[in-house]
Amino acid sequence: MIIDTHAHIYSPDVNAYEPIADSTRPPPGAGTVDHLQREMQEAGVDRALLIQTYTFYGFDNRFIRDTALGARDWAAGVVNLDPANPHSCDALSALVKRSNVRALRISPEPYGYELPGIELLYKEASALGIAVNALLSLDQASRLSDLLEAFPELPVVLDHCLVWEPGLVFETAAEGSLFEATIRKVVELARHPNLHAKLTFLAMRSEEEYPFRDMHDACKRIIDAYGPERCVWGSDFPTELWCPKTTYSGQLRLFREELGLNTTELDEILGLTAERIYFST
């Protein structure tokens, strides 16, 4: 069982599912559900988590809702709800109960990570028995620690291991760099047993070409800190938009062939961990 925990999808029907202004768009033909299924079949991937794309749809989750509802045999949805909207907890409950939604994604856009509504959404996710995908930056890590301690039974997945913000210069090789400080914080956060690491930053943040050797040490340090049973793989689909240095199959090959992981580690990272977090209930 191989599970892709990070696939963004886009509808070609912009009238039915209208994008936000200044949306971040994939190249023509990339990012559709058909495209994802072709990539999964060619790579031998069994299931996918469909991540609501804030940079394209804002807080409009209709496309994820409608797609996940008809994809129970191969996928589940991850929604992104507005923490400033007092009805978001009710909306989350309805989506989980009716529409094959298995996780909530909470990101800092546009409010940061201090808004009281964020804690309410964590509480609702915990009550519903689903996971939270946490997308946030290094300076918000202390807030995440507070939430992890407040909801110790809630499985939380750290999107991109804090290494995601566009425009930041991480200077990956430099001691004392922002990148090194970020990886140290990710390793430190492993003390929270309900936190999991999503290892989707290698192709996205590497300053090199495939196989992105400047990211290998950081990735292995994170795996050592969390254990493979708390790490998951994701494709960053569509790679044409989010990590054009590689392909969907290349993202999987990177873990299978380039990181020196053994069979037990691969089984956990490529599927078993995600199965427990997202599909076991």
Side-chain angles (χ1 to χ4, degrees):
M1 176 67 69
I2 300 177
I3 298 175
D4 179 356
T5 65
H6 204 87
H8 292 288
I9 56 170
Y10 305 77
S11 173
D13 188 345
V14 295
N15 293 315
Y17 304 102
E18 185 177 0
I20 61 174
D22 300 320
S23 57
T24 303
R25 298 170 178 260
T32 66
V33 174
D34 288 344
H35 179 207
L36 174 59
Q37 290 184 295
R38 289 196 305 271
E39 295 277 39
M40 290 174 63
Q41 183 174 10
E42 291 173 8
V45 174
D46 300 285
R47 289 180 177 176
L49 273 296
L50 309 176
I51 310 292
Q52 199 273 352
T53 311
Y54 179 84
T55 56
F56 196 75
Y57 292 115
F59 290 117
D60 183 347
N61 292 273
R62 290 177 301 129
F63 183 52
I64 287 291
R65 177 199 65 192
D66 295 349
T67 304
L69 187 59
R72 291 183 184 274
D73 58 334
W74 66 274
V78 180
V79 294
N80 189 351
L81 294 163
D82 184 355
N85 187 328
H87 303 294
S88 285
C89 287
D90 291 337
L92 179 61
S93 179
L95 287 163
V96 170
K97 293 173 181 177
R98 301 174 188 169
S99 301
N100 189 30
V101 166
R102 301 292 181 91
L104 167 70
R105 193 185 203 201
I106 298 182
S107 60
E109 298 102 345
Y111 308 110
Y113 225 80
E114 298 292 334
L115 204 68
I118 289 178
E119 185 167 356
L120 293 176
L121 283 168
Y122 267 72
K123 182 178 181 180
E124 184 67 21
S126 184
L128 291 166
I130 64 170
V132 165
N133 287 2
L135 179 69
L136 67 164
S137 55
L138 177 60
D139 61 354
Q140 297 158 338
S142 61
R143 175 60 171 155
L144 178 62
S145 288
D146 293 341
L147 291 165
L148 291 166
E149 291 174 1
F151 304 101
E153 303 302 317
L154 173 67
V156 178
V157 180
L158 189 58
D159 269 1
H160 308 308
C161 293
L162 301 181
V163 188
W164 66 276
E165 289 185 275
L168 284 182
V169 178
F170 278 84
E171 298 176 348
T172 56
E175 184 67 25
S177 67
L178 177 58
F179 179 80
E180 177 61 24
T182 301
I183 298 305
R184 286 180 178 173
K185 177 56 70 174
V186 174
V187 168
E188 177 191 324
L189 287 169
R191 72 183 187 276
H192 298 284
N194 55 327
L195 184 63
H196 304 73
K198 188 184 287 186
L199 306 173
T200 47
F201 63 90
L202 286 81
M204 181 185 298
R205 273 303 178 184
S206 178
E207 297 173 353
E208 300 180 3
E209 298 300 316
Y210 183 92
F212 319 121
R213 297 192 189 280
D214 57 339
M215 295 287 107
H216 289 198
D217 178 69
C219 185
K220 290 176 182 178
R221 286 164 60 191
I222 293 169
I223 295 171
D224 287 344
Y226 286 79
E229 69 278 1
R230 287 167 56 200
C231 294
V232 297
W233 170 81
S235 70
D236 290 321
F237 176 87
T239 57
E240 292 85 351
L241 174 62
W242 297 112
C243 42
K245 290 182 179 181
T246 190
T247 63
Y248 190 96
S249 293
Q251 290 281 56
L252 188 55
R253 187 170 62 251
L254 175 64
F255 279 76
R256 281 177 156 170
E257 300 179 8
E258 302 293 346
L259 292 174
L261 301 173
N262 63 40
T263 300
T264 300
E265 291 168 330
L266 286 171
D267 286 346
E268 291 285 349
I269 294 168
L270 297 182
L272 293 178
T273 306
E275 175 76 22
R276 289 191 296 270
I277 296 170
Y278 298 108
F279 293 99
S280 63
T281 59

